[in-house]
Amino acid sequence: GDSVTQMEGPVTLSEEAFLTINCTYTATGYPSLFWYVQYPGEGLQLLLKATKADDKGSNKGFEATYRKETTSFHLEKGSVQVSDSAVYFCALYKAAGNKLTFGGGTRVLVKP
Amino acid sequence: EPEVTQTPSHQVTQMGQEVILRCVPISNHLYFYWYRQILGQKVEFLVSFYNNEISEKSEIFDDQFSVERPDGSNFTLKIRSTKLEDSAMYFCASSPPGINTGELFFGEGSRLTVL
């Protein structure tokens, strides 16, 4: 079945450091790919998405590119802030079934 | 900004008891979902609901679970006889009408602790 694998955390960074969170997926067909973020005490919220190969999703300084050849969707941010401290979830979606399949989540802690 | 709200935020129950978790989806949304996350594990799909019936469910969603939209605003998850392994954070989500895109709006979650 479909699955998503992402790097385990926690990832601890200093402010203004570069962040990368690796995500790879296994799926048949052509899924859409997502990053959701969960800030402390809040629900998951959509960060960015890409719906087809080579698409780049971006939001709030974060970027991820849909790489079909490597089945990856790595999340990057060039300069993190303390407010980026959260748990980040990579996910794939297929319209047939209408459900998200999530990775295990990566906790990121940014220190001042 | 409209949001999905869930109650209770935390419930502690004894094994074998019935639990109802409540959700108020965003008002013009038509698709509703429950996901759960056991501590330290992945967020897992439980069930999706559309047009007053279940559209998809996972193997986790066995006969102990049921969902209902009893009125125009609430969407509930009932666990008939809780087990220790039902302890988890349960997330409700909804998505708007139109072509499904995977963009879900999640509530803050209800933490269930089964003793």
Side-chain angles (χ1 to χ4, degrees):
Chain A
D2 299 340
S3 66
V4 176
T5 302
Q6 58 183 109
M7 58 189 290
E8 291 191 18
V11 174
T12 303
L13 302 164
S14 297
E15 214 166 14
E16 300 183 2
F18 184 86
L19 170 68
T20 299
I21 304 176
N22 290 338
C23 170
T24 57
Y25 69 92
T26 301
T28 56
Y30 304 95
S32 297
L33 301 175
F34 296 81
W35 279 98
Y36 278 81
V37 59
Q38 185 180 29
Y39 298 105
E42 300 183 15
L44 286 79
Q45 54 187 274
L46 177 66
L47 179 60
L48 54 84
K49 69 172 184 178
T51 57
K52 61 184 187 298
D54 300 325
D55 268 4
K56 178 186 283 187
S58 61
N59 186 25
K60 299 183 181 180
F62 290 89
E63 292 183 342
T65 301
Y66 190 163
R67 302 286 189 200
K68 192 164 179 64
E69 65 276 14
T70 55
T71 62
S72 65
F73 193 55
H74 305 321
L75 183 69
E76 297 181 336
K77 186 174 185 180
S79 177
V80 294
Q81 305 300 312
V82 172
S83 56
D84 294 324
S85 298
V87 181
Y88 293 82
F89 294 90
C90 186
L92 68 84
Y93 174 81
K94 288 159 72 173
N98 188 25
K99 65 177 182 180
L100 286 166
T101 300
F102 284 93
T106 303
R107 182 175 300 278
V108 173
L109 177 61
V110 180
K111 296 186 173 180
Chain B
E1 187 174 328
E3 59 182 19
V4 176
T5 57
Q6 292 185 237
T7 55
S9 57
H10 188 193
Q11 181 156 357
V12 180
T13 190
Q14 296 292 322
M15 190 169 55
Q17 296 297 303
E18 177 182 285
V19 162
I20 298 176
L21 304 179
R22 292 182 168 80
C23 171
V24 179
I26 295 172
S27 62
N28 67 332
H29 286 189
L30 296 182
Y31 298 89
F32 314 114
Y33 312 83
W34 285 100
Y35 286 76
R36 79 172 186 188
Q37 185 180 29
I38 296 171
L39 187 63
Q41 298 186 26
K42 294 186 177 186
V43 177
E44 302 172 294
F45 170 78
L46 293 178
V47 65
S48 60
F49 190 86
Y50 171 72
N51 200 24
N52 284 318
E53 60 183 27
I54 291 173
S55 48
E56 293 286 339
K57 61 181 181 178
S58 71
E59 57 275 10
I60 302 168
F61 195 87
D62 61 21
D63 292 344
Q64 296 293 323
F65 292 89
S66 62
V67 289
E68 193 176 36
R69 187 157 163 82
D71 53 41
S73 59
N74 290 283
F75 179 51
T76 61
L77 175 68
K78 181 190 291 186
I79 308 175
R80 187 158 52 89
S81 177
T82 50
K83 303 186 286 284
L84 295 176
E85 54 265 37
D86 294 327
S87 295
M89 180 72 89
Y90 288 81
F91 293 103
C92 175
S94 66
S95 61
I99 298 173
N100 288 318
T101 62
E103 294 186 40
L104 272 57
F105 294 76
F106 285 85
E108 293 182 6
S110 294
R111 181 171 298 283
L112 176 64
T113 301
V114 182
L115 302 176

